[in-house]
């Protein structure tokens, strides 16, 4: 990718981010037929323009069993 000027390149670099999730625990699992909910705890690490931001999370996730595989439901 090429930019016409350094400012465009800087804006592009600042817009880039990398996000990783490390799951530390899965608790409170409730299964009903082909759906489930579970409390997931872990750490989200974001790298934005070279800055590292760590956030501890603990959220209840919804899952659905499809073709024998548990998958996260789209909650957004």
């Amino acid at each position: 990718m090429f930019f016409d000027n350094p400012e465009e390149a800087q804006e592009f670099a600042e817009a880039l981010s990398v996000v990783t999730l490390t799951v530390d625990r899965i608790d409170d699992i409730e299964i009903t037929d082909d759906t489930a909910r579970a409390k997931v705890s872990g750490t989200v690490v974001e790298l934005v323009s070279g800055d590292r931001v760590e956030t501890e999370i603990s959220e209840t996730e919804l899952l659905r069993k499809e073709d024998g595989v548990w998958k996260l439901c789209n909650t957004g």
Side-chain angles (χ1 to χ4, degrees):
M1 180 171 286
F2 296 97
F3 300 95
D4 292 331
N5 58 59
E7 290 81 18
E8 284 183 8
Q10 182 65 30
E11 286 177 20
F12 181 79
E14 289 175 0
L16 291 178
S17 65
V18 176
V19 178
T20 59
L21 168 65
T22 302
V23 175
D24 298 320
R25 295 178 59 103
I26 300 175
D27 296 308
D28 302 331
I29 300 168
E30 299 174 16
I31 300 173
T32 305
D33 301 322
D34 64 348
T35 61
R37 76 176 56 234
K39 183 176 178 183
V40 178
S41 302
T43 305
V44 174
V45 178
E46 294 180 88
L47 297 176
V48 180
S49 301
D51 294 327
R52 178 186 171 103
V53 178
E54 279 192 34
T55 306
E56 296 295 319
I57 62 153
S58 182
E59 298 181 6
T60 299
E61 298 291 341
L62 303 176
L63 301 100
R64 176 175 299 281
K65 196 170 191 178
E66 296 178 7
D67 300 322
V69 178
W70 287 103
K71 297 181 180 184
L72 286 174
C73 293
N74 182 355
T75 58

